[in-house]
Amino acid sequence: MEIRKVGVVGCGLMGSGIAQAAATAGFDTVVREVSQELLDKGRSAIDRSLAKFVEKGELSPEQKAQALGRLLPTLQLEDLANCDLVIEAVIENLAQKRELFTELDRIVKPHAVFASNTSSLSITELMTATQRAPRFLGLHFFNPVPLMKLVEVVKTVVTDPEVVQTGLDFARRLGKTPILTTDRAGFIVNRLLVPYLLDAIRALEEGFGTIEDIDQGMKLGCNHPMGPFTLMDFVGVDTTYSIAEILFQEYREKRFAPPPLLKRMVLAGMFGRKSGKGFYDYSDPKNPKVNKLLEGRG
Ligand SMILES: NC(=O)c1ccc[n+]([C@@H]2O[C@H](COP(=O)([O-])OP(=O)(O)OC[C@H]3O[C@@H](n4cnc5c(N)ncnc54)[C@H](O)[C@@H]3O)[C@@H](O)[C@H]2O)c1
């Protein structure tokens, strides 16, 4: 199936990245937000990100202008009516996403494919809010979308094989590498990554080493670009906690259970980089120091 026009719902961190990738790849891209302020914010994020590609010589100024020209920012859901593919990237809330999909199902023409970028909700549960189950799948992008190469293409038990192929082809058209997975909590990457992150917290709680030494261990011993605590601060300590809860509810296995320290940090507002404090303290963002409140563990 040929995709000409793409709709993206939500122009936050992920939606703006997906809209940028689609527009840069040559698709007319309608992107919808709930307020003019958020729409402007998302559009300037896209502008800034494209400008960095121009600075690096990876895009010409003309290609940047063309990409921006293919973007249609809107507040009206009705503007998505003629899209061939609609990708939802609104906040991680089941009820809100279901409500949105029911509305989209009414507005967007029946042949269009619907996709969700959810990290942890069930694609099947979102799909049942529409009348187009065979034309529904997950397209799970990674942050920051313009730079990260991976897309997890998630099929449910009823996704039409032609629609799966459309998802794989679309990801490749964006210059990404798709991998195919089924609708289980965590898909492939978080299913493997989250237990590792939680285990790092348990290792800290059990006194295997300090935050810095555990991070160094995984960086220098396994060649990871960053250690688990630095990574959790990037992802968000709160986001890590909610994904762990969802995985635990699905599998009921200890390795997915959030350790006590993780929950306490969320309650105390230590969300990582975004709140200025997580496992590290970002008072000086270019030179993070271990969060003193957590010192003495390990
Ligand atoms: N942040 C990540 O690293 C990451 C990675 C992969 C997937 N995801 C998933 O992507 C989705 C979005 O996450 P995010 O980090 O971009 O969140 P975000 O909060 O940055 O952006 C969400 C945006 O959606 C908007 N929105 C809410 N309801 C809307 C509606 N009805 N119509 C249009 N816009 C609406 C909000 O105003 C907000 O700007 C979530 O499902 C999340 O699980 C996030």
Side-chain angles (χ1 to χ4, degrees), residues 4-296:
R4 288 203 190 90
K5 193 168 178 184
V6 175
V8 179
V9 191
C11 195
L13 193 65
M14 297 304 290
S16 63
I18 297 167
Q20 176 182 332
T24 308
F27 294 101
D28 287 331
T29 308
V30 187
V31 58
R32 193 256 181 159
E33 252 299 342
V34 288
S35 76
Q36 192 58 47
E37 195 190 341
L38 289 166
L39 202 54
D40 293 344
K41 197 173 153 212
R43 197 177 176 288
S44 8
I46 294 174
D47 200 325
R48 278 197 309 277
S49 171
L50 287 171
K52 281 192 203 147
F53 281 94
V54 174
E55 262 169 48
K56 286 189 280 182
E58 291 173 19
L59 278 185
S60 68
E62 294 72 40
Q63 285 170 317
K64 175 183 179 236
Q66 282 163 359
L68 288 174
R70 282 190 285 265
L71 268 183
L72 174 69
T74 183
L75 296 176
Q76 310 304 325
L77 217 46
E78 285 70 18
D79 287 340
L80 282 89
N82 288 322
C83 290
D84 305 302
L85 168 67
V86 175
I87 305 169
E88 168 276 312
V90 308
I91 50 165
E92 192 74 338
N93 177 294
L94 179 65
Q96 284 188 35
K97 284 189 197 273
R98 279 183 55 91
E99 197 180 311
L100 172 68
F101 274 120
T102 302
E103 227 181 318
L104 283 169
D105 201 29
R106 196 172 44 74
I107 294 168
V108 184
K109 50 188 180 184
H111 86 272
V113 171
F114 281 4
S116 174
N117 181 52
T118 181
S119 294
S120 55
L121 299 171
S122 157
I123 301 295
T124 310
E125 213 165 343
L126 296 173
M127 163 200 103
T128 56
T130 74
Q131 302 295 316
R132 62 180 85 199
R135 309 194 70 70
F136 201 110
L137 81 174
L139 286 179
H140 185 223
F141 289 82
F142 288 74
N143 179 35
V145 180
L147 299 180
M148 296 291 279
K149 288 280 173 223
L150 187 70
V151 179
E152 289 182 302
V153 175
V154 187
K155 60 175 182 176
T156 71
V157 282
V158 294
T159 311
D160 186 327
E162 186 214 357
V163 169
V164 173
Q165 193 56 48
T166 301
L168 294 168
D169 292 344
F170 175 72
R172 289 192 188 104
R173 282 277 309 271
L174 300 195
K176 308 290 182 200
T177 302
I179 55 174
L180 183 59
T181 186
T182 51
D183 184 29
R184 306 262 193 291
F187 312 135
I188 293 174
V189 173
N190 281 332
R191 159 74 177 71
L192 295 178
L193 177 64
V194 173
Y196 156 72
L197 295 176
L198 302 179
D199 234 7
I201 302 176
R202 289 189 192 105
L204 178 71
E205 287 183 323
E206 289 164 17
F208 278 69
T210 61
I211 290 172
E212 278 165 315
D213 283 350
I214 293 172
D215 267 357
Q216 283 292 29
M218 295 313 289
K219 260 175 81 173
L220 303 182
C222 295
N223 240 357
H224 287 190
M226 65 184 85
F229 298 112
T230 305
L231 179 56
M232 278 187 276
D233 278 358
F234 263 114
V235 170
V237 174
D238 53 335
T239 306
T240 307
Y241 176 73
S242 39
I243 297 178
E245 279 286 22
I246 287 166
L247 289 171
F248 184 70
Q249 276 165 29
E250 174 108 328
Y251 303 109
R252 314 276 167 169
E253 291 178 37
K254 184 172 178 247
R255 62 193 158 138
F256 299 109
L261 174 61
L262 182 60
K263 184 170 178 185
R264 302 299 178 282
M265 287 177 69
V266 175
L267 290 172
M270 294 178 194
F271 297 159
R273 278 191 176 259
K274 62 183 164 191
S275 72
K277 242 188 209 125
F279 291 97
Y280 293 88
D281 184 326
Y282 299 92
S283 312
D284 174 5
K286 291 220 166 90
N287 188 20
K289 301 256 170 10
V290 165
N291 180 351
K292 281 209 171 340
L293 299 167
L294 303 177
E295 255 174 9

